[in-house]
Amino acid sequence: MINNDKIKIENVNLYYGEFHALKNINMNVKEKEITAFIGPSGCGKSTLLKSLNRMNDLIEGVKINGKMLLDGIDIYKDMDPTMLRKRVGMVFQKPNPFPMSIYENVAYGPKTHGVKSKSKLDEIVEQSLRSAAMWDEVKDRLKKSALGLSGGQQQRLCIARAFSVNPEVILLDEPTSALDPISTMKIEDLLVDIKKNYTIIIVTHNMQQATRISDKTGFFLHGEVVEFDETEKLFSMPKNKKTEDYITGRFG
Amino acid sequence: MELVNAEKNLRKRKLISLVLKAGVWLCGIMTVGILIFILLFILLRGVPNINMEFLFGTYNSDTLSAFSSIVTTFEMILISLLVAVPIGVFCAIYLTEYAKRGNKAVKVIRLAVDTLAGIPSIVYGLFGMILFVNILGFRASVLSGICTVSIMILPVIISSSEEAIKSVPDMYREGSLGLGATRLGTVFRIVVPTAMPGILSGVILAIGRIVGETAALIFTSGTNVLESPTLDLFASQRTLAIHMYMLASEGLPHSKDMAFATGAILILVVFLVNLATTKLAGRLGRLGNDK
Ligand SMILES: Nc1ncnc2c1ncn2[C@@H]1O[C@H](COP(=O)(O)OP(=O)(O)OP(=O)(O)O)[C@@H](O)[C@H]1O
Ligand SMILES: [Mg+2]
């Protein structure tokens, strides 16, 4: 089966003030696949990820040029950022549940987008928590503060929260870097499980993680995409010497 | 040699920490002790003098009733907060969430706020007297007092709200915006509720200033006392603190006792208002409290 291109990145350059953080990026992300970004610290993975739902807009002095298309539509020219972010959800490196109840955390997104009916909200909350594989864990304490959950549970709650607005793409920035192996495994299983419905892009420092779950992998270095290929190919026979050095651990 | 030194060192460190601990305890006990002493002193001298006449009777040189002053005190607290809290909180929101960094206007506002916070209240009184009482023609009235006091408490509300809003972690904002919420929605549904406890502590400080204010009010709402309470904003009527001040400086035989009675009521009022504010904000900012 050949999937369509969900996201097209064409000649994107990004500057933080004078600093050239992304250099001429070209990349196509296919629908219903998991794409992983790997590369050493500071190479621009998070920057590219954040520019896909325009979270970089919040930072002063960011300049971006080139094109980013979601289903063929230019997200910087022809799309309202709030609509974009509803369609392209994000899970951050550090779990960041709101200081509210578990229920309110998940209901926040739909409420923001105008869902008012209690029964509809209940349904969305249950659905989202089920999709994040944590309904059974929390169904008896929906009214309790989300801050009382463990780190792994908080992160899955954030994933549930991202589901709640029914996005098409989910961006995850090192979602498991603060978690223990079991929580990590749960989230990996979850991602593989949900990719039939979502397009997923994940930044990770963990190369095993990339090989375990991703279909495509992009290797970043100094703001450039050095190599972007099917995960299997990239890890078994990298075309570029730098990629090879990095994945074999001979780098930096 | 080394070992002996280490042991000596250890004993010295233990001694220091013991002394420090004793010091901390002493300071703690002293603070609480002074507080209790003041409270007891006022309550013991004041409460026995409180009677129905004093609380709810009409004012004359016998009863020296505080009724009208009590009502005016509550009126002043309520309306001043209704005026100053929204303005202060919105100003803080602008300063923290909307103004660009390095913005000139922000620097000016901050400087103004800090300066205003340090000005003695009698200066506010003079200012209020000229602007509200004379120029705007409100005369000596509760309204003039409320306007003056509202300006006076603005800095404390702005700066505590600003601190509170600044201390809301950015990751909450990112989480909200990342779900497609607008900037404004994020501010009012995430940031302000999370900052509520801090905003509230500013409000409580402000209440303290209003309740305890005399100098600024003597010039604006006046020292007049009505026989029975009124909510008329254009009436000139004293608050409890001024009532107490006036009684304490009056020569009537029982006026000192009644000054203490007023003090006792004042303490009770502060206690009640703070309690109510905390309850109210707990409800407004239910976030984070529902552990
Ligand atoms: N807000 C910012 N202002 C200025 N420079 C920034 C900003 N954010 C990131 N950078 C710079 O851009 C470069 C890329 O940062 P980015 O966060 O995308 O790296 P990364 O690949 O995600 O690294 P890591 O793996 O450590 O998360 C870095 O050199 C960083 O210093
Ligand atoms: Mg990063």
Side-chain angles (χ1 to χ4, degrees):
Chain A
M1 185 179 75
I2 294 176
N3 290 329
N4 298 324
D5 286 338
K6 184 75 184 171
I7 294 173
K8 285 188 176 184
I9 302 170
E10 293 174 5
N11 302 322
V12 164
N13 284 280
L14 186 145
Y15 302 82
Y16 290 114
E18 296 296 300
F19 179 71
H20 198 172
L22 293 178
K23 295 170 190 156
N24 206 33
I25 310 280
N26 284 283
M27 187 184 274
N28 289 344
V29 175
K30 294 233 183 288
E31 198 173 18
K32 294 175 186 171
E33 281 192 354
I34 298 181
T35 303
F37 292 173
I38 60 169
S41 196
C43 63
K45 305 175 301 284
S46 300
T47 301
L48 182 62
L49 199 72
K50 277 195 236 159
S51 49
L52 288 174
N53 69 345
R54 294 184 60 175
M55 291 301 279
N56 278 332
D57 288 15
L58 309 173
I59 303 169
E60 272 176 53
V62 171
K63 279 195 308 282
I64 185 162
N65 55 48
K67 263 192 193 163
M68 291 198 173
L69 307 176
L70 176 68
D71 289 336
I73 300 169
D74 191 326
I75 62 170
Y76 279 86
K77 290 220 177 70
D78 304 320
M79 209 180 284
D80 176 62
T82 61
M83 277 320 292
L84 169 68
R85 292 180 194 139
K86 182 181 175 307
R87 291 175 63 184
V88 181
M90 185 150 199
V91 175
F92 300 82
Q93 176 168 3
K94 231 175 121 202
N96 62 345
F98 302 130
M100 318 172 181
S101 70
I102 294 170
Y103 181 96
E104 287 298 329
N105 260 280
V106 186
Y108 179 82
K111 276 187 186 168
T112 296
H113 295 288
V115 178
K116 291 218 175 63
S117 120
K118 173 91 173 84
S119 57
K120 182 77 189 149
L121 285 172
D122 287 350
E123 190 188 316
I124 294 175
V125 169
E126 177 168 349
Q127 258 310 313
S128 308
L129 287 168
R130 276 193 195 285
S131 308
M134 66 180 314
W135 173 250
D136 291 322
E137 264 164 275
V138 299
K139 65 171 187 278
D140 298 321
R141 48 167 166 160
L142 291 175
K143 294 274 173 275
K144 295 265 166 60
S145 169
L147 303 183
L149 296 171
S150 75
Q153 288 172 323
Q154 289 190 7
Q155 193 61 302
R156 278 183 290 140
L157 179 65
C158 291
I159 295 178
R161 191 175 68 184
F163 288 147
S164 70
V165 293
N166 202 15
E168 298 152 36
V169 180
I170 297 184
L171 311 172
L172 302 107
D173 194 350
E174 300 180 44
T176 61
S177 64
L179 305 182
D180 67 283
I182 294 183
S183 306
T184 300
M185 205 180 67
K186 279 191 187 164
I187 288 179
E188 286 181 11
D189 290 346
L190 174 65
L191 294 178
V192 173
D193 190 47
I194 60 170
K195 84 169 185 187
K196 54 184 180 290
N197 297 321
Y198 300 91
T199 306
I200 296 169
I201 305 179
I202 178 169
V203 171
T204 177
H205 273 285
N206 180 333
M207 279 179 270
Q208 282 81 40
Q209 185 167 65
T211 51
R212 277 195 298 263
I213 63 174
S214 71
D215 301 291
K216 297 251 169 58
T217 298
F219 169 60
F220 287 64
L221 193 61
H222 304 312
E224 288 176 87
V225 177
V226 173
E227 193 165 344
F228 180 57
D229 209 338
E230 299 195 350
T231 301
E232 245 169 78
K233 278 194 198 151
L234 187 129
F235 281 98
S236 58
M237 36 183 167
K239 293 195 190 77
N240 193 300
K241 181 79 173 61
K242 289 178 195 152
T243 316
E244 190 181 336
D245 286 350
Y246 184 71
I247 59 179
T248 51
R250 258 179 287 156
F251 186 93
Chain B
M1 191 58 206
E2 281 272 297
L3 218 66
V4 175
N5 253 343
E7 198 158 301
K8 230 167 125 191
N9 233 331
L10 187 69
R11 242 186 302 156
K12 203 167 126 198
R13 285 214 316 260
K14 269 191 178 155
L15 190 73
I16 290 177
S17 87
L18 202 73
V19 169
L20 279 180
K21 211 185 244 175
V24 170
W25 268 98
L26 200 71
C27 292
I29 290 173
M30 240 165 63
T31 315
V32 176
I34 292 173
L35 200 75
I36 291 178
F37 174 73
I38 295 175
L39 275 179
L40 277 184
F41 184 75
I42 295 174
L43 289 178
L44 284 181
R45 282 206 61 179
V47 171
N49 297 315
I50 299 177
N51 53 46
M52 280 322 255
E53 277 279 80
F54 181 69
L55 274 180
F56 300 116
T58 48
Y59 177 88
N60 55 44
S61 54
D62 276 337
T63 62
L64 297 179
S65 170
F67 194 17
S68 51
S69 311
I70 294 175
V71 171
T72 299
T73 303
F74 278 111
E75 184 187 19
M76 202 165 269
I77 293 172
L78 196 73
I79 302 180
S80 311
L81 290 181
L82 282 179
V83 173
V85 171
I87 297 177
V89 172
F90 277 87
C91 182
I93 289 174
Y94 170 74
L95 288 176
T96 48
E97 301 286 315
Y98 286 96
K100 291 231 162 56
R101 240 181 306 140
N103 183 331
K104 284 257 160 50
V106 172
K107 281 195 190 132
V108 174
I109 296 178
R110 284 231 173 88
L111 186 69
V113 168
D114 290 344
T115 313
L116 285 175
I119 290 179
S121 59
I122 194 159
V123 178
Y124 283 98
L126 272 172
F127 166 79
M129 183 171 77
I130 292 167
L131 180 64
F132 301 117
V133 177
N134 296 334
I135 296 180
L136 292 178
F138 295 166
R139 317 256 279 283
S141 65
V142 174
L143 181 62
S144 296
I146 286 173
C147 293
T148 310
V149 158
S150 299
I151 296 175
M152 206 176 79
I153 62 174
L154 214 45
V156 66
I157 291 176
I158 294 176
S159 52
S160 62
S161 305
E162 201 187 338
E163 280 312 307
I165 292 174
K166 260 199 227 151
S167 70
V168 174
D170 270 338
M171 62 179 189
Y172 292 162
R173 295 182 181 85
E174 287 172 353
S176 169
L177 294 167
L179 286 164
T182 57
R183 200 84 180 264
L184 196 70
T186 303
V187 166
F188 283 100
R189 292 185 48 211
I190 301 289
V191 177
V192 171
T194 310
M196 200 46 98
I199 294 175
L200 192 68
S201 69
V203 171
I204 288 178
L205 279 177
I207 292 172
R209 280 201 82 169
I210 301 171
V211 172
E213 190 48 54
T214 48
L217 289 178
I218 289 174
F219 285 120
T220 51
S221 55
T223 55
N224 186 42
V225 54
L226 298 168
E227 282 180 4
S228 49
T230 174
L231 290 176
D232 182 3
L233 287 174
F234 286 96
S236 172
Q237 160 66 37
R238 56 171 79 150
T239 59
L240 273 173
I242 299 177
H243 192 56
M244 186 169 164
Y245 169 75
M246 296 304 285
L247 291 185
S249 50
E250 244 161 54
L252 294 168
H254 60 315
S255 65
K256 282 267 174 342
D257 292 336
M258 292 335 241
F260 274 104
T262 313
I265 296 174
L266 214 53
I267 290 173
L268 198 72
V269 168
V270 172
F271 179 73
L272 284 179
V273 173
N274 286 359
L275 200 72
T277 317
T278 317
K279 277 266 146 59
L280 183 74
R283 195 155 307 157
L284 287 179
R286 75 206 178 286
L287 304 151
N289 295 340
D290 48 10
K291 261 224 171 113

